[in-house]
């Protein structure tokens, strides 16, 4: 068993505000205590998400954890300690997952932008063998949101789908899952001019440049519209009669629905074969890997809304 220190380096904030004002790197943060059903993960890489910035500035104060807070949802790392009720994971296992079961309902005080994080065994899955820690850390929130949204739409083989924001973290996963896991008959996706090739490489049958054309004017309508960008009012105009619109951002226009992702290790385990076969790929922005010391720069890049795929913090651990 690895000799786990009492304190660790972590990014931490003690009040709401802009990341550059409130988020500090400290080296004396106490390593979180384990609950019986949790494992302690030595963090090798952590994925960033728009929700990290939103929580920090205080958008979700009604259901927040106490201060001081370590941000971060996505983790890939190695189990270094297990709680007494842990059934399957053992020390040395390489794992990945989203450590907050309910993304916005009292998330944990200690997230993944730290050298260690404590997380329930049920929220983790074995890291796909062919993926690096950075690639694995890019996946959980994005692929979990994509998968849950498609399930909630009861999306099935032979249906058509329009993905708004197909080059982003969630959208890039919706395209791949719809095509390669759910068996979509037709996948259409929107992005800006420079990202159309990425959409085609992910499996889109048609890539629509939103800077040049309006998706609701397309001659075809869709069984499902998956809105990753918050354009629900327009999205409902693109669905077939009796179709479904799911959104993960912004206001909701009837009959669309919105949901917040629930983390579930079993879903990642189901998707692992598609990741290991290469049918579904982790998508990290070409400029998207930042070392631990440059976490603020990584969060600022996420905040531009221009990321292709994901931004990842790696490496976390500095060999002393």
């Amino acid at each position: 068993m690895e000799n786990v220190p009492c304190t660790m380096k972590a990014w931490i904030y003690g009040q709401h505000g802009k990341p550059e004002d409130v988020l500090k790197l400290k080296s004396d943060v106490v390593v979180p205590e384990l609950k019986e059903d949790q494992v302690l993960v030595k963090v090798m890489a952590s994925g960033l998400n728009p929700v990290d910035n939103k929580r920090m500035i205080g958008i979700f104060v009604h259901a927040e954890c106490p201060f001081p807070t370590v941000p971060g949802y996505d983790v890939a790392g190695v189990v270094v300690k297990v709680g007494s009720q842990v059934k399957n994971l053992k020390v040395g296992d390489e794992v990945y997952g989203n450590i907050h079961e309910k993304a916005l309902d009292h998330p944990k005080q200690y997230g993944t932008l730290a050298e260690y994080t404590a997380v329930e065994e049920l929220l983790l899955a074995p890291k796909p063998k062919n993926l690096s820690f950075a690639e694995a850390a890019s996946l959980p929130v994005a692929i979990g949101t994509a998968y849950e949204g498609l399930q909630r739409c009861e999306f099935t083989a032979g249906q058509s789908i329009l993905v708004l924001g197909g080059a982003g973290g969630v959208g890039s996963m919706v395209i791949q899952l719809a095509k390669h896991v759910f068996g979509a008959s037709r996948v259409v996706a929107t992005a800006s001019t420079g990202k159309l090739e990425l959409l085609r490489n992910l499996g889109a049958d048609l890539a629509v440049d939103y800077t040049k054309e309006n998706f609701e004017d397309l001659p075809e309508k869709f069984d499902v519209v998956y809105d990753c960008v918050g354009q629900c009012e327009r999205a409902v105009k693109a669905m077939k009669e009796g179709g479904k619109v799911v959104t993960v951002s912004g206001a909701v226009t009837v009959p669309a629905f919105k949901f917040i992702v629930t983390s579930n290790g079993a879903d990642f385990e189901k998707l692992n074969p598609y990741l290991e076969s290469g049918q579904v790929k982790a998508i990290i922005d070409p400029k998207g890997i930042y070392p631990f010391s440059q976490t603020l720069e990584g969060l600022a890049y996420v905040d531009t809304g221009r990321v292709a795929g994901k931004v990842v913090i790696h490496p976390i651990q500095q060999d002393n």
Side-chain angles (χ1 to χ4, degrees), residues 6-282:
C6 303
T7 59
M8 63 180 181
K9 284 185 186 163
W11 286 94
I12 197 159
Y13 58 97
Q15 64 189 71
H16 291 301
K18 291 180 182 167
E20 62 269 25
D21 295 334
V22 299
L23 189 62
K24 308 289 181 219
L25 180 56
K26 298 200 169 167
S27 56
D28 59 350
V29 178
V30 175
V31 171
E33 290 283 314
L34 275 193
K35 294 181 181 156
E36 292 179 341
D37 62 343
Q38 291 181 330
V39 299
L40 190 68
V41 176
K42 182 177 185 174
V43 181
M44 305 306 285
S46 174
L48 299 185
N49 294 282
V51 68
D52 295 313
N53 285 313
K54 290 175 182 169
R55 274 182 65 204
M56 220 174 300
I57 60 177
I59 289 178
F60 307 115
V61 287
H62 56 284
E64 261 298 358
C65 64
F67 290 127
T69 305
V70 173
Y73 285 69
D74 291 327
V75 69
V78 180
V79 175
V80 291
K81 202 171 172 185
V82 298
S84 58
Q85 300 297 311
V86 169
K87 295 182 175 63
N88 298 311
L89 291 177
K90 56 190 189 304
V91 170
D93 284 351
E94 297 184 349
V95 293
Y96 77 121
N98 165 7
I99 72 157
H100 302 295
E101 184 174 9
K102 300 286 185 191
L104 298 176
D105 184 3
H106 298 92
K108 293 177 173 67
Q109 186 172 0
Y110 294 100
T112 61
L113 287 169
E115 291 182 305
Y116 296 91
T117 195
V119 52
E120 290 76 12
E121 176 182 37
L122 288 174
L123 305 186
L124 297 172
K127 180 179 77 64
K129 295 176 183 62
N130 57 321
L131 297 190
S132 67
F133 283 110
E135 288 170 323
S138 76
L139 288 165
V141 167
I143 206 169
T145 303
Y147 188 66
E148 186 176 339
L150 289 166
Q151 283 188 310
R152 284 173 178 256
C153 286
E154 298 171 324
F155 190 71
T156 53
Q159 289 189 314
S160 62
I161 187 169
L162 170 64
V163 185
L164 305 183
V170 175
S172 60
M173 291 297 139
V174 176
I175 293 171
Q176 295 185 84
L177 296 186
K179 191 76 169 183
H180 304 301
V181 178
F182 286 81
S185 61
R186 185 159 170 80
V187 178
V188 177
T190 67
S192 57
T193 317
K195 296 175 185 159
L196 301 179
E197 193 58 34
L198 172 62
L199 302 188
R200 295 185 195 103
N201 291 340
L202 294 172
D205 299 295
L206 177 66
V208 176
D209 185 342
Y210 71 73
T211 69
K212 295 184 177 152
E213 53 185 321
N214 294 323
F215 62 81
E216 62 269 45
D217 298 335
L218 289 168
E220 56 187 314
K221 301 296 177 198
F222 301 88
D223 294 306
V224 167
V225 183
Y226 201 126
D227 171 23
C228 306
V229 290
Q231 296 182 331
C232 202
E233 202 172 315
R234 294 172 60 201
V236 295
K237 296 175 186 163
M239 73 173 193
K240 282 182 183 170
E241 197 170 330
K244 293 182 176 157
V245 176
V246 56
T247 185
V248 291
S249 178
V252 177
T253 305
V254 176
F257 69 91
K258 186 177 183 178
F259 76 99
I260 308 291
V261 68
T262 300
S263 176
N264 179 0
D267 284 349
F268 303 137
E269 291 216 39
K270 270 185 220 153
L271 295 169
N272 272 356
Y274 298 95
L275 291 159
E276 293 189 334
S277 70
Q279 287 173 284
V280 176
K281 295 178 171 61

